[in-house]
């Protein structure tokens, strides 16, 4: 049983006899003898084998271990399909969020532009001899000045972004 378990676990880990021998600091023939049942590793070597194969000593000494296939294509393809589906869902959700962000950006720019047009810069008629009024008036003027220069770029960017992130059917 020990010989079959060492062989099955070694193969399931994708190791050759030579690779296992190098990791255990023994010659390949020693591994071959263990797997053929011609000799048995001592207790210290059993512990080393269990560490290298990442398997409990009890499993090595226990019942026959079913040899697992390293390249089970069906299981791998099923996992990849699930991962691809999850990635596609995340990408669609991200695209939808971006699309609505661009639409809301355009709406925001339009509302602020309409508000500034209707208000027609009321701060220009304020009395700036009062320091508080002067600070607020300069703030409004700076906002309006920056907005008028940045709004066209934001609007164009929002329209292009909304167009590029629309749902393609």
């Amino acid at each position: 049983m020990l010989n079959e378990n060492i062989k099955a676990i070694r193969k399931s880990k994708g190791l050759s006899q030579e690779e296992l021998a190098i990791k255990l600091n023994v010659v390949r023939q020693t591994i071959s003898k263990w797997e053929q049942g011609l000799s048995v590793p001592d207790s210290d070597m059993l512990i080393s084998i269990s560490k290298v194969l990442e398997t409990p000593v009890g499993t090595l000494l226990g019942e026959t271990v079913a040899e697992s296939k390293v390249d089970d294509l069906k299981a791998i393809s099923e996992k990849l399909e699930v991962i691809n589906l999850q990635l596609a869902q995340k990408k669609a959700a991200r695209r939808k969020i971006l699309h609505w962000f661009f639409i809301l950006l355009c709406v925001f720019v339009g509302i602020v532009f309409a508000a500034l047009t209707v208000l027609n810069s009321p701060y220009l008629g304020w009395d700036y001899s009062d320091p508080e009024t002067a600070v607020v008036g300069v703030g409004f003027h700076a906002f309006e000045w920056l907005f008028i220069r940045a709004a066209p770029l934001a609007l164009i960017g929002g329209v292009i972004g909304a167009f590029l992130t629309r749902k393609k059917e």
Side-chain angles (χ1 to χ4, degrees):
M1 276 195 258
L2 173 64
N3 59 334
E4 295 166 0
N5 290 344
I6 292 174
K7 184 175 183 177
I9 295 170
R10 175 185 59 79
K11 285 185 174 183
S12 72
K13 299 288 183 180
L15 293 172
S16 67
Q17 286 184 347
E18 184 69 30
E19 291 168 329
L20 181 59
I22 290 170
K23 290 184 179 195
L24 293 173
N25 293 323
V26 297
V27 294
R28 187 202 57 78
Q29 289 80 3
T30 303
I31 305 294
S32 177
K33 286 180 182 179
W34 291 341
E35 290 182 356
Q36 292 175 14
L38 300 176
S39 70
V40 178
D42 63 12
S43 60
D44 291 335
M45 187 54 72
L46 261 177
I47 293 171
S48 297
I49 294 169
S50 75
K51 286 179 183 175
V52 168
L53 296 178
E54 300 171 342
T55 304
V57 174
T59 303
L60 290 172
L61 297 172
E63 294 297 317
T64 305
V65 176
E67 186 174 329
S68 64
K69 294 182 182 176
V70 176
D71 59 337
D72 187 3
L73 293 178
K74 185 175 181 182
I76 292 171
S77 66
E78 287 174 358
K79 288 178 183 178
L80 285 175
E81 186 177 337
V82 169
I83 291 170
N84 283 336
L85 181 62
Q86 290 172 344
L87 288 174
Q89 289 172 342
K90 284 183 180 181
K91 185 177 179 181
R94 225 177 301 135
R95 178 182 285 259
K96 188 175 182 180
I97 290 170
L98 269 175
H99 181 72
W100 283 105
F101 169 77
F102 287 127
I103 290 173
L104 290 174
L105 177 66
C106 293
V107 169
F108 175 76
V109 168
I111 289 171
V112 172
F113 189 76
L116 289 175
T117 303
V118 169
L119 292 175
N120 196 20
S121 305
Y123 58 84
L124 294 178
W126 290 354
D127 177 20
Y128 282 89
S129 60
D130 179 22
E132 290 178 6
T133 306
V135 170
V136 173
V138 168
F140 277 134
H141 185 68
F143 170 75
E144 186 178 76
W145 185 85
L146 284 171
F147 182 80
I148 295 301
R149 278 146 186 83
L153 297 175
L155 188 61
I156 291 168
V159 169
I160 291 172
F163 179 75
L164 292 177
T165 58
R166 74 190 186 287
K167 187 175 182 180
K168 298 173 185 168
E169 305 212 17

